[in-house]
């Protein structure tokens, strides 16, 4: 808060400054205001000193340069800025450059619309694929999902990759069917698999039992072992109704006893051999192997077991190839062979391979080693055979038997 | 603001180069003086002064001629530029100037060489003032402007200008009485 004294002093100071600027002396000003003279004098001298400060001036070159700089800026501002016009070709080039991470990417202009179309298809397709990934039969996006799957299969050249992809798609179909059954949802879907069994009212495709009805449409002559494409309908009660079946690939017919693996005309693809085998055969070898007694198992080298049960034997063709096993479950061997059975398979008893070397102990038992005193050489009788101390570890047991121990032996 | 200045500013806003040159030539010396007494370096003051008018080109559209004189507006631009400069470079140059003989012998202080050290102390002390106090000191005692002009530039009453100059002189006196205190203040100011 300013006091009256302060306001008065400001006026006095201003008056003195004004007087001095008009040529009056400092002393005459101070005489006029004797009460404030002391403080007034200090401020007036200070003001005089400030007034003595030089007025700096920029160099003429700097003044001219500053002016030019300002005018150049004015020109830059006034110049109309180029407005980016719609340039389809340039945008595509920028997009591809961005995707490739190459700023200097060059491309023929004629290719740009084609690339643009492809990009739209790829990006749009990717979005649609992602959206449709979780759709199930009956959903609007399901047809897109299946189309995409077929496209993937069509463009998968590697056989190995295609096999993996087909397995994935089979799992996907199973998942879809499971979802439909859980939701008690009625829907139609296609499935491709191997026809495993054909009963009067039910057929088995892979591991799906499908019900046969009068409306079934059959294309070709499906038989067990054929690769078939089926159209099934899920019912609200969880039943799968077979609507249509068509043979995609017929199984190779093998007449039992007339050919063996390796014969001329025998298919090289092992998967073809496996398909016609009834289920019970696949249970046999693995179940039996686990029944081998533990002690025998440890004695049998792993590779020996493999040679005893050759892999290709599992693919033996049964005599009645096309006979459908009606009681599949009962054919699974439930009998557990006794450990000491005399009629044990050729695995038991195992014999050590004749050409395999017998195990050779490399060290003496620790007990014997501890009985040998460290200074044994000094206690050896004069007629003791001259033995290299390095051989003690292997020769000691025989010596100990014939050795007369001295009375002070530990 | 006079009507002539209003017309001049309007022409400049319309992109009239002659009007801009007129504004430059009228105000450049004053802005340079102000900047020089803020930074204490001839070359830096020249660069910053030039930059003030470059920035003016960009900001002229936002300037309202009726609000305050263009010189006051240019002072604001100059003040912001100096603050930006110190913010980017971290320190003022007056401390170095005081110890730098070549700077003392520069053209600016040659004409009063016998008491140039006292003058540098005084200029140094100017930095302790507030922005308004410093502006009043520069306009009133260095440039010799009248109170009514200063009042117009700062958009204040004449009474306020008198009060400002009184407080500015008192502050300067205190700063010069105790140099050590002054340096402490300067360090604080710079941080």
């Amino acid at each position: 808060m300013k006091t009256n004294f302060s306001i008065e002093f400001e006026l006095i100071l201003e008056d003195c400054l004004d007087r001095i600027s008009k040529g009056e002396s400092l002393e005459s000003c101070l005489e006029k205001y004797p009460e404030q003279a002391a403080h007034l004098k200090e401020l007036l001298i200070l003001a005089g000193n400030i007034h003595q400060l030089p007025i700096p001036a920029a160099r003429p070159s700097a003044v001219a340069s500053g002016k030019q700089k300002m005018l150049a800026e004015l020109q830059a501002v006034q110049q109309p800025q180029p407005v980016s016009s719609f340039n389809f070709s340039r945008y595509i080039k920028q997009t591809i450059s961005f995707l490739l991470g190459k700023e200097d990417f060059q491309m023929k202009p004629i290719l740009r619309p084609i690339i643009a179309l492809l990009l739209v298809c790829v990006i749009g397709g990717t979005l649609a694929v992602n959206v449709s990934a979780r759709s199930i039969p009956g959903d609007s996006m399901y047809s897109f999902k299946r189309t995409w799957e077929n496209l993937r299969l069509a463009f998968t050249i590697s056989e190995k990759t295609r096999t993996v992809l087909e397995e994935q798609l089979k799992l996907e179909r199973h998942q879809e069917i499971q979802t439909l059954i859980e939701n008690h949802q009625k829907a139609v879907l296609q499935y491709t698999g191997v026809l495993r069994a054909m009963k009067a009212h039910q057929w088995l495709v892979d591991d799906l039992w499908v019900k046969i009805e009068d409306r079934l449409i059959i294309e070709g002559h499906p038989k067990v072992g054929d690769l078939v494409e089926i159209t099934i309908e899920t019912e609200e009660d969880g039943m799968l109704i077979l609507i249509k079946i068509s043979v995609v690939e017929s199984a190779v017919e093998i007449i039992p006893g007339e050919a063996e693996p390796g014969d001329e005309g025998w298919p090289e693809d092992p998967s073809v051999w496996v398909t016609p085998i009834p289920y019970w055969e696949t249970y046999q070898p693995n179940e039996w192997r686990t029944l081998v007694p533990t002690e025998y198992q440890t004695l049998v080298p792993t590779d020996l077991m493999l040679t005893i049960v050759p892999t290709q034997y599992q693919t033996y063709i049964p005599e009645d190839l096309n006979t459908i096993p009606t009681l599949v479950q009962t054919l699974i061997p439930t009998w557990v062979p006794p450990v000491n059975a005399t009629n044990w398979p050729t695995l038991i008893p195992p014999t050590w391979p004749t050409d395999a070397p017998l195990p050779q102990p490399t060290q003496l038992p620790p007990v014997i080693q501890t009985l040998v005193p460290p200074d044994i050489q000094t206690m050896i009788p004069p007629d003791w055979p001259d033995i290299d101390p390095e051989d003690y570890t292997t020769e000691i047991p025989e010596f100990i038997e014939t050795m007369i121990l001295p009375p002070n032996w530990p | 603001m006079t009507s002539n200045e209003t017309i001049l500013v309007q022409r400049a806003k319309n992109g009239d180069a002659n009007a801009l040159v007129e504004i430059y030539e009228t105000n450049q010396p004053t802005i340079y003086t102000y900047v020089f007494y803020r930074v204490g370096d001839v070359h830096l003051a020249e660069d910053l002064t030039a930059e003030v008018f470059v920035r003016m080109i960009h900001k002229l559209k936002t300037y309202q001629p009726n609000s305050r004189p263009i010189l006051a507006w240019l002072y604001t631009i100059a003040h912001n530029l100096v603050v930006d400069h110190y913010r980017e470079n971290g320190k003022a140059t007056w401390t170095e100037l005081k110890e730098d003989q070549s700077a003392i012998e520069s053209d600016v202080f040659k004409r009063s060489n016998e008491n140039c050290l006292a003058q540098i102390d005084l200029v140094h002390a100017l930095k302790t003032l507030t922005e308004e106090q410093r502006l009043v000191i520069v306009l009133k005692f260095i440039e010799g402007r009248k109170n009514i002009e200063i009042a117009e530039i700062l958009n204040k009453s004449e009474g306020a200008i008198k009060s400002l100059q009184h407080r500015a002189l008192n502050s300067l006196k205190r700063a010069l009485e105790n140099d050590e205190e002054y340096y402490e203040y300067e360090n604080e100011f710079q941080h």
Side-chain angles (χ1 to χ4, degrees), chain A residues 2 9-10 14 39 42 46 50-59 62-63 66-67 70 73-74 78, chain B residues 15 20 24-25 32 36-37 43 46 58 108 111 119 140-142 147 163 165-166 169-170 172-173 176:
Chain A
K2 286 203 293 186
F9 188 84
E10 283 169 9
E14 182 58 33
H39 185 47
E42 287 175 336
L46 181 57
I50 296 167
H51 189 64
Q52 291 296 315
L53 284 173
I55 301 174
R59 292 166 299 167
V63 175
K67 193 191 295 178
M70 178 189 73
E73 196 68 23
L74 174 69
Q78 283 179 336
Chain B
L20 285 165
Y24 180 85
E25 287 175 346
Y32 177 79
F36 176 81
Y37 279 111
H43 298 287
E46 285 173 353
H58 290 280
V108 179
R111 53 183 164 166
Q119 286 188 338
K140 174 89 184 253
F141 300 110
I142 297 174
N147 282 354
S163 180
Q165 74 180 4
H166 178 213
L169 287 171
N170 273 328
L172 269 179
K173 187 171 77 70
L176 290 165

Side-chain angles (χ1 to χ4, degrees), chain A residues 97-110:
Chain A
S97 300
F98 173 75
L99 290 172
L100 294 177
K102 291 179 182 176
E103 288 187 5
D104 57 345
F105 176 72
Q106 295 298 325
M107 183 175 59
K108 287 182 180 177
I110 197 164

Side-chain angles (χ1 to χ4, degrees), chain A residues 183-208:
Chain A
N183 296 344
H184 304 288
Q185 196 173 336
K186 199 171 180 177
V188 176
L189 74 153
Q190 278 79 35
Y191 181 84
T192 305
V194 176
L195 183 60
R196 300 283 184 187
M198 299 169 80
K199 290 173 72 176
H201 301 290
Q202 277 190 325
W203 288 1
L204 180 67
V205 180
D206 284 345
D207 56 351
L208 294 174

Side-chain angles (χ1 to χ4, degrees), chain A residues 21-147:
Chain A
S21 68
K22 286 175 180 170
E24 205 170 312
S25 68
L26 174 67
E27 287 72 23
S28 66
C29 284
L30 296 175
E31 280 173 11
K32 199 174 177 186
Y33 302 104
E35 289 181 5
Q36 292 85 10
H39 185 47
L40 200 55
K41 186 182 178 183
E42 287 175 336
L43 296 187
L44 288 173
I45 289 171
L46 181 57
N49 287 340
I50 296 167
H51 189 64
Q52 291 296 315
L53 284 173
I55 301 174
R59 292 166 299 167
S61 60
V63 175
S65 164
K67 193 191 295 178
Q68 289 305 316
K69 209 173 168 184
M70 178 189 73
L71 292 173
E73 196 68 23
L74 174 69
Q75 202 173 1
V77 169
Q78 283 179 336
Q79 200 166 6
Q81 295 293 316
V83 179
S84 175
S85 57
F86 178 74
N87 190 331
F88 177 80
S89 191
R90 180 165 57 86
Y91 294 148
I92 293 305
K93 182 172 177 276
Q94 285 175 352
T95 307
I96 295 168
S97 300
F98 173 75
L99 290 172
L100 294 177
K102 291 179 182 176
E103 288 187 5
D104 57 345
F105 176 72
Q106 295 298 325
M107 183 175 59
K108 287 182 180 177
I110 197 164
L111 286 175
R112 292 176 188 174
I114 300 166
I115 299 288
L117 190 63
L118 283 172
L119 278 173
V120 168
C121 291
V122 168
I123 294 167
T126 308
L127 288 172
V129 165
N130 285 331
V131 170
S132 66
R134 289 186 174 275
S135 63
I136 55 171
D139 291 351
S140 58
M141 293 299 285
Y142 185 71
S143 57
F144 193 90
K145 180 182 178 180
R146 292 303 301 267
T147 308

